[in-house]
Amino acid sequence: MDLRFGDSKPTDEERAAIDTLLGPPESSWEGADRSDADLRWARGGREARERRDLLLPGLHAVNDRIGWISEGALDYLCRRLTVPPAEAYGVATFYAMFSVKPRPATVLHVCTDLACAAAGASELCAGVEARLGLGSGVSVERSPCLGLCERAPAALAIKAGDPVRTAVSAPATVERAVLAASSPDSAPEEPPAALAVPQAGRAGPEELVLLSRVGVVDPASLDDYRAHGGYTALRQAFAIGPAGVIREVTDAGLVGRGGAAFPTGRKWQATASQPDHPHYLVCNADESEPGTFKDRVVMEGDPYSLVESMTIAGYAVGAHKGYLYLRGEYPRALERMEHAIGQARARGLLGDDVLGQGYAFDIEIRRGVGAYICGEETALFNSIEGYRGEPRSKPPFPVEKGLFGKPTAENNVETLVNVLPILTMGAQAYAAIGTGKSTGPKLFCVSGSVDRPGIYELPFGATLGELLDLAGVRKRLRAVLLGGAAGGFVRPDELDIPLTFEGTREAGATLGSGVVLAFDDTVPLPRLLLRIAEFFRDESCGQCVPCRVGTVRQEEALHRIVDRTGAAAASDIALLREVGRAMKDASICGLGQTAWNAVESAIDRLGAYE
């Protein structure tokens, strides 16, 4: 791909897909037919360059309509946005769900990650590939986690067209997956989000705070949401003012639920106090950690809670625009959030005058495209801005220079929805839940070898054993993976670990985003570790050498020792430790810094290769 434009032309469909998003081109400089005026002066270049952030939506538009992105379509999109073709090609090839090579209009993504691997994903893939061979009109792709771990194994079919059609098959069989791929419109409807919440209908109302409305309210109805306490928190926020909101969040002790556990009040205060404007709010709904699906359930079962909490956060930090960066593998969450935002806007709960309070705030959804690295906040900003999702060096920090170089507060879905009970029950009552250092309720994603997989809400301080008792461990427990692929393993005799940030740290583990993957003694641990290594190799953005090379070396070593044990593996285990230390010490972001964690814990705590 050259820096210059080529001779390839877009098809009528490709042109229509891009023009639907960007509007018709105003001059031949953007791809319209040349007029006499175009020969005299160039117009619109500055305005087009300021729309660079529409590159990803433009690539989505073509990929959704056609199924892949041709050189002609890429050239036309680049002309519309005055982006060098080489840069746009680099962006298009960065994201796993895009293709710049011809492929069938239907793509079937079959999850092969941890929970699905333990549930027979290999056999499912083999069966599907045998049924959908060459000439079927379906491309079968082995995929990382689809965020459907409670219904493993899982598959997602995407059929390009106008409109694009999707179908989820979970738990998937060969027959169900083939049906979803061959006829997405005829596939069975997904079960309601409440089925992912085993406590729904069983726990009393006082036991559930964040999940209290899932399965109770109609997720499409704004009136139903308001009848169950919706928008009470936003009215309270307007009553106490932005400084009051930040004070309540700070006093409540709320920390980020995405894994970093940074105090939310401090982040909001730092953003709000910046003199540079505008300020932005970004909700990170790109949960791609294997085993994580809590944000998906909240968005599918209680979408208005996220709209309300984003509005409150925007009000607190002085932002008038919020971006919801949503996983590309979540079609139903996308549909629910689009509907909720549209309804809130139509009813005066978003827009130029929210609730008649003179505060302007709106939310725009930006879809991810299958890149785990975009869970890192600065990589996410780059993605929204139309660049490859590569992390930035810090400082400056996002609260100073974040999205579009402006002060930005970034939080994930679970963190934001915690703001609602803080404002409705008060900071003191909220802080009384949990422990002194880890306050409030926490959502845990439990999957693997359990009878009742799903999202569980418990106060911080409950033990791992208590959580697994609720989920019902099957057979003989071999190990528990805490925190997902970036977390670590614990032994069956360590189930008294308190589920708090400080408690897991003291135990030499990590809470992460709340992933709890249980594995019984039928799961081959060496193959599981190899899958984790493959995941990090695939998901490394390649920007820094320690991670780019280290993840490859880690996978190579695990390949060599997967069929060997004892003394024969000693040299490779020593190499793994050396590579792991280098990644942890020198990688730019958390991906490389944590890529060795699970393997290290399996070797040291479980004796994986003894």
Side-chain angles (χ1 to χ4, degrees):
M1 179 60 65
D2 204 337
L3 285 168
R4 299 166 296 179
F5 292 101
D7 297 326
S8 302
K9 302 296 181 186
T11 65
D12 290 342
E13 265 199 294
E14 291 168 340
R15 185 186 293 267
I18 294 169
D19 288 350
T20 299
L21 173 72
L22 302 179
E26 296 183 359
S27 72
S28 64
W29 299 100
E30 292 187 38
D33 293 333
R34 179 167 290 175
S35 66
D36 290 340
D38 293 329
L39 298 176
R40 296 189 179 96
W41 65 80
R43 293 176 294 134
R46 183 185 300 275
E47 290 80 2
R49 283 190 292 275
E50 290 176 351
R51 297 197 296 173
R52 168 70 186 250
D53 68 295
L54 293 179
L55 179 59
L56 208 62
L59 294 171
H60 266 300
V62 176
N63 201 71
D64 286 349
R65 181 79 66 96
I66 311 300
W68 67 288
I69 301 161
S70 71
E71 186 175 335
L74 192 66
D75 268 7
Y76 181 63
L77 179 59
C78 289
R79 289 185 186 277
R80 295 300 315 274
L81 299 175
T82 66
V83 174
E87 285 191 32
Y89 182 81
V91 172
T93 54
F94 182 85
Y95 297 97
M97 297 181 74
F98 287 150
S99 175
V100 295
K101 296 179 180 179
R103 66 178 178 183
T106 301
V107 178
L108 180 66
H109 300 271
V110 182
C111 179
T112 59
D113 232 313
L114 304 179
C116 289
S122 296
E123 294 79 5
L124 174 64
C125 285
V128 168
E129 288 167 347
R131 290 277 296 273
L132 297 172
L134 293 175
S136 67
V138 177
S139 173
V140 180
E141 297 187 2
R142 298 188 176 219
S143 169
C145 185
L146 295 173
L148 295 161
C149 314
E150 84 280 13
R151 289 183 272 144
L156 167 66
I158 303 175
K159 185 173 185 178
D162 186 19
V164 63
R165 294 185 292 281
T166 62
V168 167
S169 177
T173 62
V174 173
E175 290 72 22
R176 291 173 188 165
V178 170
L179 175 62
S182 56
S183 181
D185 294 333
S186 303
E189 187 176 347
E190 281 193 78
L195 285 189
V197 184
Q199 292 166 300
R202 299 176 186 174
E206 71 284 350
E207 295 180 54
L208 295 180
V209 178
L210 306 178
L211 300 176
S212 62
R213 281 184 289 261
V214 176
V216 175
V217 303
D218 177 0
S221 173
L222 176 56
D223 290 331
D224 203 8
Y225 175 71
R226 297 184 76 166
H228 287 82
Y231 283 95
T232 303
L234 180 58
R235 293 184 183 278
Q236 176 65 12
F238 283 135
I240 62 178
V245 172
I246 294 174
R247 184 173 58 252
E248 286 289 292
V249 171
T250 302
D251 291 347
L254 177 64
V255 298
R257 302 301 204 239
F262 189 83
T264 304
R266 282 176 54 192
K267 179 184 290 188
W268 288 12
Q269 180 59 53
T271 306
S273 62
Q274 294 297 319
D276 194 14
H277 287 274
H279 295 179
Y280 290 104
L281 173 75
V282 174
C283 174
N284 185 348
D286 192 52
E287 56 171 4
S288 304
E289 185 71 50
T292 309
F293 50 96
K294 57 189 172 60
D295 292 350
R296 189 204 90 229
V297 172
V298 171
M299 290 186 288
E300 290 180 350
D302 193 14
Y304 290 103
S305 67
L306 182 56
V307 177
E308 182 183 6
S309 56
M310 285 185 69
T311 308
I312 293 170
Y315 176 66
V317 303
H320 299 288
K321 181 70 176 284
Y323 286 91
L324 172 60
Y325 192 90
L326 181 57
R327 274 198 82 180
E329 297 92 337
Y330 283 176
R332 185 164 70 171
L334 173 65
E335 176 190 343
R336 295 273 168 88
M337 292 309 306
E338 284 180 335
H339 177 78
I341 289 170
Q343 289 294 303
R345 192 179 291 130
R347 300 278 287 273
L349 298 168
L350 288 174
D352 294 334
D353 188 13
V354 176
L355 278 178
Q357 297 292 318
Y359 169 62
F361 184 75
D362 211 341
I363 298 171
E364 182 176 344
I365 296 178
R366 290 295 177 92
R367 292 160 58 196
V369 210
Y372 170 76
I373 190 64
C374 287
E376 197 278 338
E377 57 186 357
T378 61
L380 185 155
F381 299 156
N382 277 340
S383 184
I384 292 176
E385 292 176 20
Y387 297 91
R388 293 164 63 89
E390 296 173 339
R392 304 172 185 172
S393 296
K394 303 174 188 176
F397 294 97
V399 296
E400 301 167 310
K401 291 189 180 296
L403 186 64
F404 305 119
K406 299 297 182 180
T408 304
E410 181 268 352
N411 296 105
N412 75 342
V413 173
E414 185 188 353
T415 305
L416 287 168
V417 297
N418 268 274
V419 175
L420 304 182
I422 288 173
L423 292 181
T424 53
M425 69 171 58
Q428 186 174 357
Y430 178 91
I433 302 172
T435 67
K437 293 182 179 179
S438 296
T439 63
K442 178 75 183 78
L443 301 182
F444 297 95
C445 311
V446 185
S447 58
S449 304
V450 295
D451 294 321
R452 294 174 292 279
I455 303 296
Y456 287 84
E457 179 183 325
L458 292 174
F460 274 116
T463 67
L464 177 58
E466 291 170 344
L467 175 59
L468 290 176
D469 284 343
L470 288 175
V473 178
R474 297 199 304 260
K475 300 182 181 177
R476 184 169 173 267
L477 189 63
R478 170 74 172 89
V480 179
L481 180 59
L482 277 180
F489 287 95
V490 298
R491 300 186 304 271
D493 61 352
E494 297 179 296
L495 300 187
D496 58 346
I497 293 175
L499 294 174
T500 61
F501 293 111
E502 66 276 10
T504 50
R505 278 195 299 268
E506 289 172 5
T510 178
L511 193 62
S513 60
V515 174
V516 178
L517 268 163
F519 299 104
D520 60 35
D521 54 8
T522 65
V523 178
L525 192 58
R527 298 300 306 176
L528 203 67
L529 297 179
L530 184 56
R531 180 66 189 94
I532 292 173
E534 291 170 347
F535 172 80
F536 281 113
R537 179 212 63 204
D538 287 340
E539 297 296 340
S540 172
C541 75
Q543 181 182 197
C544 68
V545 173
C547 180
R548 181 176 71 242
V549 177
T551 53
V552 175
R553 294 292 173 264
Q554 177 172 264
E555 184 201 5
E556 289 172 347
L558 287 172
H559 264 295
R560 288 194 297 268
I561 66 177
V562 72
D563 296 320
R564 297 183 294 153
T565 56
S571 61
D572 279 316
I573 290 177
L575 176 63
L576 280 171
R577 293 188 187 280
E578 184 178 351
V579 169
R581 283 194 298 269
M583 287 194 292
K584 186 174 292 188
D585 292 342
S587 295
I588 288 177
C589 79
L591 188 150
Q593 293 164 10
T594 60
W596 154 246
N597 285 0
V599 179
E600 179 184 33
S601 65
I603 293 171
D604 292 342
R605 301 179 87 121
L606 304 180
Y609 298 113
E610 292 179 356

